[in-house]
Amino acid sequence: AQAQKERKVVVYNTTTAPDMLAIANGFKMKYPFAEVESYRGTGEKLIQRISTEIKAGQKNELKIDLK
């Protein structure tokens, strides 16, 4: 429901470009109305970006997968 309202999802990841493309394509199949944006970085860069966004007051839902 939130994806339909926002029309955009940002995926913070450390995965390879082909894997991220597969994730984005799978998401687009289920939610064709939504744009998928990817931010790829190291763990440290991801934490820094997320921390900056939180401090700036951006509302984000955060899910972490530590596989």
Side-chain angles (χ1 to χ4, degrees):
Q2 189 67 24
Q4 195 164 12
K5 190 186 301 184
E6 297 283 334
R7 297 216 176 272
K8 177 177 162 184
V9 63
V10 179
V11 181
Y12 297 91
N13 66 88
T14 60
T15 191
T16 64
D19 286 346
M20 187 56 230
L21 183 59
I23 291 167
N25 287 339
F27 189 87
K28 292 282 294 174
M29 285 176 59
K30 186 166 184 176
Y31 305 101
F33 52 83
E35 173 189 350
V36 179
E37 184 179 312
S38 172
Y39 178 82
R40 183 173 183 262
T42 63
E44 183 179 321
K45 284 187 178 184
L46 291 175
I47 296 298
Q48 183 179 20
R49 174 138 181 187
I50 293 166
S51 295
T52 300
E53 290 179 359
I54 290 170
K55 289 175 186 172
Q58 290 185 356
K59 182 182 172 197
N60 296 311
E61 185 171 325
L62 178 61
K63 295 187 179 188
I64 300 173
D65 184 3
L66 302 174
K67 289 186 178 177

